[in-house]
Amino acid sequence: MAADERRAQVTLYSGLSDDEWDVPSLCTGWRVRDVLAHTTMPFRWSVPRLLLGVVRARGSFDRFADRAARDDAAALTPGELVACLDAHVEDPWSPPGGGPVGALSHDVIHGLDVALALGPRARLP
């Protein structure tokens, strides 16, 4: 199910215009590109790098995730972010303690954060 969700998101993201990448998502303060940077972070960041980022964010995962999403969205092109998601559609990643349901929830929730912000043509299954 997570792979199906990611495939649908690859299709959605692959069809976005330049302007749509900067549409505000339903995640406060994040644009569409920031959300994709966040959802692909587990495929691009090593555990040690992530832990160091949390330490630098004074122990706040939320502060770290916000900073990382914004920084990565600025450093990577939309094409690079979509390619990352596409390359990891079948990746078995799951959040610590979340298991496969946690991975699916993460992908579905952030997919909706983007799809709902983009409007009716962007609806995901």
Side-chain angles (χ1 to χ4, degrees):
M1 290 172 71
D4 289 343
E5 177 66 23
R6 290 178 192 152
R7 277 188 204 93
Q9 288 184 26
V10 167
T11 299
L12 169 64
Y13 287 122
S14 294
L16 296 184
S17 70
D18 290 342
D19 290 340
E20 287 174 313
W21 285 102
D22 291 320
V23 167
S25 75
L26 299 186
C27 294
T28 303
W30 283 1
R31 302 161 298 164
V32 167
R33 71 178 66 232
D34 302 314
V35 175
L36 183 55
H38 171 74
T39 58
T40 59
M41 189 177 74
F43 313 128
R44 295 180 292 99
W45 284 66
S46 67
V47 172
R49 183 178 176 207
L50 183 140
L51 293 174
L52 181 59
V54 172
V55 168
R56 287 182 175 154
R58 299 184 314 270
S60 169
F61 181 81
D62 289 343
R63 187 178 8 251
F64 156 73
D66 182 61
R67 184 179 306 147
R70 292 170 193 267
D71 290 350
D72 288 355
L76 299 167
T77 68
E80 289 170 321
L81 292 169
V82 173
C84 178
L85 182 62
D86 190 35
H88 292 92
V89 162
E90 299 282 344
D91 195 290
W93 171 83
S94 62
V101 172
L104 178 61
S105 297
H106 183 258
D107 292 339
V108 167
I109 290 167
H110 287 307
L112 289 171
D113 289 332
V114 168
L116 293 174
L118 291 171
R121 78 153 184 86
R123 296 274 190 242
L124 295 174

